[in-house]
Amino acid sequence: MMNNTEPTVYVVDDDDAVRDSLMDLVDSVGLKAEEFASAQAFLDSYDEKRPGCLVLDIRMPGMSGLDLQDRLSEVGSVLPIIFITGHGDVPMAVRAMQRGAVDFIQKPFRDQELLDRINIALEKGNQSFAVQEQAEEFASRVGTLTQREREVMEMIVNGKANKVIAIDLGLSQRTVELHRARVMEKMKARTLADLVRMATKVNR
Amino acid sequence: MLLDSITSPVSHKPAFRIAAIYTIIGALWVMLSDKVLSMMVADLPTIVALESYKGWVFVLLTGILIYYLVDTQANISAKFQQQLRERDDELRLTFQNAPTAIITFDMQGRFLSVNESACELFGYTEQELRGVSYKEITHEEDAAQSDQLLQQCARGDLKTYTYETRYVHKDLHVIHGRVHNATVCGPDGRPSILVAQVEDLTRRRKAEQEAREHRERLAHVDRVSLLGEMAAGIAHEINQPLTAISNYADAARRRVLADSADPAKLLKSLEKVSEQAHRAGEVIRRLRALVKKGTSQRDDANVNDLLRDSVNLAAVDARIHDVNIEVDFYPGTLKVFVDHIQIQQVILNLLRNAVDATESGPGQDRTVRATTAIVDNELVEVSVEDRGVGVTDAEGEKLFSPFFTTKKAGMGMGLSISHSIINAHGGHLWFTRNTERGTTFHFTLPIEPGEHDE
């Protein structure tokens, strides 16, 4: 679906009024938003293919905002998180930041502060999303390589010369050159530098 | 005075006796004196001579007799008068010096006599009170009740009765009295005099009043400290609607500025602003009620509503401590007649304790359960169950004593205050140990009859 690539602000807060008002605010600046009354509800419908950012209440009954952050990082999500905290939750917010949250904002806040943070997060989300997409693309290219081609690629990326590779793998230098050409073709790499860049992104 | 009317019941009989004895002796003398004389003396001239002296003999004999009779009677009478005087003095002394105020009234309620205790009680002298109606010194709010009782008494429907009433002392302070009344009937068999004994309850009532005020002051201190402990939760509870209001208002402003305002969306934002302002106001109303320093006031209440309000206040604080409060309401109205604030305070104390106990408890189950139920058809029972470490025997003994606490923070007032609040409402507060883990606190309140629907 075309819509699914438009970045979405996911609002997760157990307080109906706060959640609804955040939706209203995000909607008033024309951003696409979806609301969830609990961390679990968000997790259940979470699709990592969809870009956006998460506006997350740090304290919620059941699964807390911090718990959700843990669960998302476990599944390798790159969704940027803006935590909303109440008075006196700063230590929790610090913990969240240490674990990679983009930002936190203390209630009650100025609308511009939140919208600025959302914009930054969306941008960051877009970048990470693009990087992730690219990494996935590279990974799928790696998937088309044979076992032997993968070994050769790893050694090329590690800076070994064809001659060394041939000795290490017990192949003729000519065969290594053929494998190398196949790798460059399958990975759609024009130069060695291209290949190295792709390999580091896949391995991330 | 009442005692002056006591007279000798035998005052006319001695005169009759003397007259009778005199008449009989006179008659015997008239009938028999000649015969006796003629039997004793045969000689006629001697008889004629003695006849002239017989009259003198009679006069002498009867003179001696009457002297004897009257003297005896006078002695008896004097002795009787003496006894009567002694008894009169005794009664008078008893009446005058009785430690209880004793008053006699006529059936119109006018003072006939008062003793010293009564004078002291009311602050008036006997002269000031005599002939005055009791209404003059009765508290105006109690006059109707006294009047009704007096009228029943005057009709003879009521012989003795006891009631409580208030009088006004000469120096205008209020006297609380318990009055024991008895009627005395007159010669016609109709009630004529009312004897009232007034027991002075003023000091007892004052002590009760002071105890109540003391309890109210302590309860207020406890409520304020309770709110202090829950401050973080309360701040959050107010912050939520404020955050929502600010968001809705900002959204509306942005829509207007963007010049593409959809009136329906604008209207929605504005309605929500108002709604959330009321929500914040409601939190503040509940808080104000709790910190208000007022005299105890009892009204009809549904225990379920009181529990719901208290849980709303305690839940946010509980969430900060990562404890969940579950409520199991009795399905129907649980009508009681109570001081709303004080009962909410008891529930809040129990919830706070249960949240603290559960938070520091060993288990994974971090849930406090509050339940309302009906017991024996006449009591409402509220239970608050925690998942804490439980109560030891030694702690259990001191649990309801003031200033006993197992917490780091806290004054140890909550349970002691709650205990006295529930007692003052005619209920009972106690705890049981759970079979699995933790403690359950229970309290009961008398149910208002006939008002709980299934």
Side-chain angles (χ1 to χ4, degrees), chain B residues 165-190:
Chain B
T165 189
R166 284 168 295 173
Y167 298 104
V168 179
H169 189 274
K170 193 179 184 180
D171 71 12
L172 298 180
H173 78 253
V174 175
I175 304 159
H176 293 262
R178 181 181 290 137
V179 187
H180 306 268
N181 273 354
T183 47
V184 175
C185 290
D188 60 351
R190 296 189 53 77

Side-chain angles (χ1 to χ4, degrees), chain A residues 13-18 20-25 27-29 57 59-62 86-87 107-112 114-115, chain B residues 235-236 239-248 250-255 258 265 268-269 272 276 279 319-322 324:
Chain A
D13 196 315
D14 65 305
D15 189 302
D16 292 347
V18 173
D20 186 59
S21 68
L22 286 169
M23 292 294 290
D24 198 21
L25 184 59
D27 181 67
S28 73
V29 292
D57 187 10
R59 280 187 196 279
M60 282 184 289
H87 180 74
K107 272 183 289 195
F109 40 77
R110 297 233 158 257
D111 59 336
Q112 195 58 52
L114 179 68
L115 293 172
Chain B
H236 179 85
N239 228 350
Q240 293 293 85
L242 292 184
T243 302
I245 287 170
S246 152
N247 288 343
Y248 283 127
D250 289 334
R253 183 174 49 83
R254 282 177 186 277
R255 288 186 206 283
K265 282 187 174 177
K268 185 206 130 191
S269 300
K272 298 281 183 161
Q276 290 305 307
R279 176 183 166 194
R319 198 194 301 163
I320 289 174
H321 294 93
D322 200 17
N324 190 29

Side-chain angles (χ1 to χ4, degrees), chain B residues 412-431:
Chain B
M413 294 271 295
L415 277 180
S416 144
I417 291 287
S418 299
H419 198 252
S420 64
I421 288 175
I422 295 298
N423 278 352
H425 280 83
H428 185 46
L429 171 66
W430 74 103
F431 71 91

